[in-house]
Each structure stands twice: as structure tokens, then as C-alpha cells.
Amino acid sequence: MKSLEKKAANKITKSYRALGTVIDLTIYGCQDEGILDQSYQLIKYYEAIFTVNREKSELMTVNQMAGIESVQVTEPVYQLTKIALEKSKEHFGFNAAIGPLVKLWHIGFSDAKVPSQAEISEKLKLINPDEIVLKDEEFSIFLPKKGMEIDLGAIAKGYIADRIKDFWRAYGVSSGIINLGGNLLLMGKAPHQTNKKWRVGVKNPLSSRKEPILQILTEESSVVTSGIAERYLKVNNKSYHHIIDPETGYPHPNSLASVTVLSRKSIDGEIETSRLFFADGPIENWLTEHPEVFGAIFISKNKKIKTVGIPKNQIYIADKSFEFE
């Protein structure tokens, strides 16, 4: 039995570059690197059809035809767009049509700036998700105003992580780690741990450095964090983070530094971090109304930690300047 357990804990890990970040893929109990290489090819396929950071992609064609005509797309692009727009129409902060506004600020890039109110007001006219037309029978998307854009970047990593998990299961892989640049999906049990639970670090949301301030003990889950330290702009001693409120056109102001969501599917974690960040913290009945999630961790700018659905004994605080609320 011991030899079998040791074999299950054997792992292979490979790193790649895609989605604008470093991709780390790890599988346990298997030494077939071909599975990881094929996973990377799948990631590159999805990136090629979803991206808006290249001149050509299916989604870029949709954006280029804004105000002109509808565009027929493949099923992955259509279905992910449909999910994104359904959530956008709930108007809780997540908005897949916010691209023109994000590009106006361009926070995180060398040409980032604080735009004028007139510029913001002009872009706000182009980000209403309720105006976008989808036709299920054609897999077609129509953006009715020139200048409108769809950007799936806020949920694409989650969708891709879930597809990689499906791919691994088809190959009989039972345990693994899919790390798409901070979007983490933990598959199966942790065979290298005696209690078979995964240990996940959450980095300091108040620093650009990557040191973890706490560690979560969890079973199979996706772990997604959204925070203000990822990208920001400083002008006249004032800091503007990259999470833009589609209602105001400005970075959303609140006391939160980051939100981490644990969920069954990674795409749900992407969506719910947005919901909770714009809600400024825990929402009453959130867990019961969203059975797809396990819980959340909130870290405030004043270094207080609050949890929902995650027992405190499953969290170890490594940086003692942070403490439970």
C-alpha cells in the first residue's frame, strides 16, 4: 500500500507562457508529459479565439463589425459570450462590454491616464450589455453601436481552467493543479499531503510583491482572487486601481483590498469575485443563493480578514500584521 501511495504522489510539472502570464500545469500519479503539452495546445486554441489583444481573433471580428453587422462565431466563443452577457445584465459590477472604458483608462500600461469626465461619459454610452443581440440558432453576435466591444478577459481564464480539468479527466488524471497566472484550480485530492487537502497561499493585496500573507486548507476547488494590487495608476499622489465600475466609469471605491472565492468551477469564482468586490464585502444569503461556491475571504485595506463559509481553523495567517476581523 505504501508503494502505491508513493506512486500517486509522484508528479510532473511544466511551465508555459500564454494568456499574458506564466502557466503552471501539474499532474499526479502520471508521467506522461504529452498530456501537459496537449493541455497547453488547448489553452493556446482558446486564447486565439477569445483574445482581444491581437489584431485577429473571433472576438476581435465581432468588435470590428460593431454597428455594421452580426458575426457568426464558433460554439465556445458564443457560449462564453452568452454567459458573460447574462451575468452583465444583472448589473452587479461585472460587465463584458466594458472594454471601451477599460481601454480609455488603460491602467497597467505605459499610456495609462486619468480621463476627463467628458471622455468617460462618452464611453459609458458604449458599454450597455442590454443592447447586444445574440441569436442562438446562428451562434451570432451583434454589437449595435460602432465602438462597442466585448472583452471576455474577466472570465476566460476560469472557462479555460474548467476545460483543462475536463480534458485531464478524459485521460484518467484524478489529481492535479491548473495555475493560469493566479487563477488556480485544484483537481481531486492532494496525494502528497497526509490529510489529502490542498494548501493555497493568498498574496498580500496591498503589495506588488508576491509573498503570501495567509494559507487556506481546502479540498478540490477553484481559488480565484481579485485585488487592487494587480494593476494601478498613481497620479498626484492618488492611486487608481484597475477594477472599473461600469455605472460610474471610475475605479470602484471601497475598503476592500482583495476578494478570494472558492468554488466548484473556476468560471464561477471569476464571476463571484466581481460580485463581492462591487458589493463591498459579504452579501447576506450569498452562500445559500449560490450553491456553486464554497466560501470567500475578504481582505480590507486596513489589514482585516473576514471569511464567509470557510472556517477560521482552515486558514493560517503567515503575516501577523493582518488579523481576523
Side-chain angles (χ1 to χ4, degrees), residues 253-270:
N254 62 17
S255 61
L256 286 176
S258 75
V259 180
T260 299
V261 170
L262 277 66
S263 58
R264 288 177 177 83
K265 293 182 179 180
S266 191
I267 191 171
D268 293 328
E270 300 268 28

Side-chain angles (χ1 to χ4, degrees), residues 3 8 35 75 77 107 120-121 156 168 179 235 254 288 314 316 318:
S3 62
I35 295 175
E75 185 169 0
V77 174
I107 294 174
I120 290 173
S121 298
W168 285 3
N179 186 347
V235 177
N254 62 17
T288 56
Q314 288 183 215
Y316 167 73

